[in-house]
Amino acid sequence: MDKSLSPDQRADLLLAQMTLDEKILLVHGNGRLFGPPTAASLLSNGGAGYVVGIPRLGIPALQMADAAVGVTRGAARGRYSTALPSNVAEASSWDPALACQYGALIGRELRDQGYTMSLGGGVNLAREPRNGRTFEYKGEDPILAGRLAAEEMKCLQAQGVIGDIKHFAANDQETGRNIGNVILSKRVLRETDLLPFEIALKQTEIGGVMCSYNKVNGDWACENQYLLNDFLKRNLGFKGFVVSDWGGTHSTAKAALAGLDMEQPDSEYYGDKLKEAVAKGEVPAERLNDMVKRILRAQFAAGQFDNRAPARVPDVFGGLEFAARVAERGTVLLKNGGNLLPLSAAKLKSIAVIGAHADVGVLSGGGSAQVDAAGGNAVPPPPPPPGTSPLDRMLRTPMWHPSSPLKAIAAKAPLAKVQFHDGADPAAAAALAKASDVAIVFVNQPASEGRDLATLSLPENQDRLVEAVAAANPRTVVVLETGGAVTMPWIEGASSVLEAWYPGIRGGEAIAAILFGEVNPSGKLVLSFPKSEADLPHAKVFGPAEAATPAPAGGTPDFRRQLPPFDIVYNEGLQVGYKWYDAQDKVPLFPFGHGLSYTTYAYSGMHASGGRNPQVVFTLKNTGKRAGIEVAQVYATLPAAAGEPPKRLVAWEPVELQAGESKTVTIAIDPFYLSIFNEQKDAWELPPGDYKLWVGASSRNLPLSETVRAGE
Ligand code: GLC
């Protein structure tokens, strides 16, 4: 209990006092959420995972909760949590400071509710835009995802809660997630799926890494020597602990020797079997000690042995205010024909609000990231088919949060006649649109863990609805509530398009604030929107169709393990997202980094320097009539010999400018972000030669460029 000692020293002292049985207790969970209660699980705080404490030694329990967009499972114990906008929404602000505040709020609410570890922190890349969990992640660029995850987890841990980062690694689709074998070269792995983990873990000490369900190059991720020991622990020097995804452990000795430190949620492999393996010498005692030390160290580092902050009621109003801010910053104005937006309340006599339950709420993402809606689902689901397990029900039921865009819009335009139509009948909706000054049609794309999207088309005939409304009234605004990219066959007919993602508990208010110009949108896409799925690297998601849906009624996710294993060959390799479109010379509908504003910006006067400290300097001017935030982006084309895609994001900066204001912006480029991974040397290198540096407003709008030399 000597705080003057380091977490390592304190963990060593404590470890030396522990018995074998006590050590075994610390390296596994105590039961599934929906499983039969056990004596130990009754001590759980109600979250996804629970590791017993050791009162004799003052070791606190590890109370783990999923908390990607807020603390989950509130309904089970009547707890309120702030339902923040999705992770892809927060990432669309491109703002590390906002990511920090996002993590801090979740950390406070986890602590307030008695939890000691987060299970949020998803950074899987949007290789596969039909991935059902795209909403939970930070888009297609590894540097952006890694930087934002680092800030989020650093600031979450500052609240006394152990942070985590997941799903390690390359769990980029849900179809067959616990049978698929992802095949990627070491260079591609290091420069894509592993890179967000490398960046986040180098920039901040995150306590936990969750290994994923899938195989990588033939071995399960949670018993993968290269991933866990060679890369994570030896290359990166990771001092925290590797925890399996729930049910992702496949062995005792192999997993222990490969670097898995904790089994969740049960003790099938790391309970008695691990004790036997240690007794037989299959697992050296020092490896068990290492597992326990890593866990204790993370608890010490998070201050969990010291004066723990007392539980308290969450700061509801602070949470609402922050949720609104994230939604405002993360919403992306994709199109604004004729500057229809912002709407002028004074000039509008009638407004049609159509579709996506906009009268009662906003959509959120399903699965373990699901925050239960305050007051219950704003759109009560139909009774589930008989025999549906609680898990399937969770995976199948879209949760709507009680923030009504209709009410928020009506409040902005008190003199206008605001009418709602549910959109079920496109013709009737179109008639209302025709009779109104402006039509705002909301569309939604439910997505969830446990299943991928069948297509990127809007479900339930919504494309027809938008077409009908836009044909009836040229002053049509489309508001998207989606987990990720969608195709838009109606794009020509729609005057303005706003991507609001899953906008959280103040989503309705944030959307209205942007529609009426109280807030100037500044979000930028962190993933590409294709014109058509034919432009994607793969015609469909890898794997058998039956693996693409939640477990059948009454089944469990394990049913997929009975399916034949299959390989997931991401042969696009380094060409993830915008790099694919660049390399294949395809034009996306809306490119990575794209996002409009109600003002305009001009880029000029670029000076770039190379060598050991590359940087760009340029002038950014707000040439419009209102203040705004412009996320200025810096891309690099590496020397041809590097064998890289045409360009990559290497730096960015959100810049706030008043109307007419100019700023000289200096952005340093970390040479690591210009490097390539050399498999022979098993190391990063900065190839010598010419680097073309680009500066602009999106990956496809780069008015400035200059070539510099680096890597000498
Ligand atoms: C789930 C998810 C993981 C989550 C865990 C606990 O299967 O893959 O993201 O943290 O189990 O709920």
Side-chain angles (χ1 to χ4, degrees), residues 32-33 47-49 65-67 72-73 118-120 133 136-137 164 166-167 171 174 177 210 212-213 244-247 264-265 367-369 391 394 449 557:
R32 286 182 179 283
L33 280 177
D66 283 294
T72 59
R73 296 184 50 72
S118 157
L119 296 173
R133 298 185 82 168
E136 262 190 86
Y137 303 146
D164 79 311
K166 67 182 182 181
H167 302 86
N171 174 188
E174 287 300 283
R177 67 177 180 172
M210 183 188 296
S212 56
Y213 285 122
S244 76
D245 201 338
W246 268 229
Q264 282 292 351
S368 55
L391 183 61
M394 181 177 90
E449 172 186 347

Side-chain angles (χ1 to χ4, degrees), residues 169-245:
N171 174 188
D172 298 338
Q173 64 179 58
E174 287 300 283
T175 299
R177 67 177 180 172
N178 35 34
I179 50 177
N181 173 35
V182 174
I183 296 176
L184 285 171
S185 74
K186 194 184 283 188
R187 171 177 181 180
V188 170
L189 272 172
R190 293 298 294 270
E191 292 190 27
T192 61
D193 288 87
L194 301 190
L195 187 51
F197 291 88
E198 177 158 1
I199 290 168
L201 293 168
K202 272 179 174 172
Q203 294 188 356
T204 190
E205 284 220 346
I206 295 175
V209 169
M210 183 188 296
C211 48
S212 56
Y213 285 122
N214 53 292
K215 287 185 177 181
V216 177
N217 295 330
D219 273 323
W220 298 110
C222 293
E223 55 185 44
N224 195 299
Q225 170 72 18
Y226 172 69
L227 289 181
L228 306 183
N229 279 345
D230 298 350
F231 169 67
L232 203 52
K233 295 181 178 179
R234 189 164 50 77
N235 280 171
L236 291 195
F238 175 58
K239 291 181 177 299
F241 61 98
V242 177
V243 54
S244 76
D245 201 338

Side-chain angles (χ1 to χ4, degrees), residues 2-16:
D2 178 352
K3 292 186 202 172
S4 69
L5 298 178
S6 72
D8 281 295
Q9 290 167 318
R10 297 173 76 179
D12 284 336
L13 286 170
L14 182 47
L15 179 64

Side-chain angles (χ1 to χ4, degrees), residues 225 229 252-260 270 281-284 287 291:
Q225 170 72 18
N229 279 345
T252 298
K254 180 174 182 183
L257 296 175
L260 180 68
Y270 272 29
E282 288 168 6
V283 174
R287 174 62 188 114
M291 293 179 194

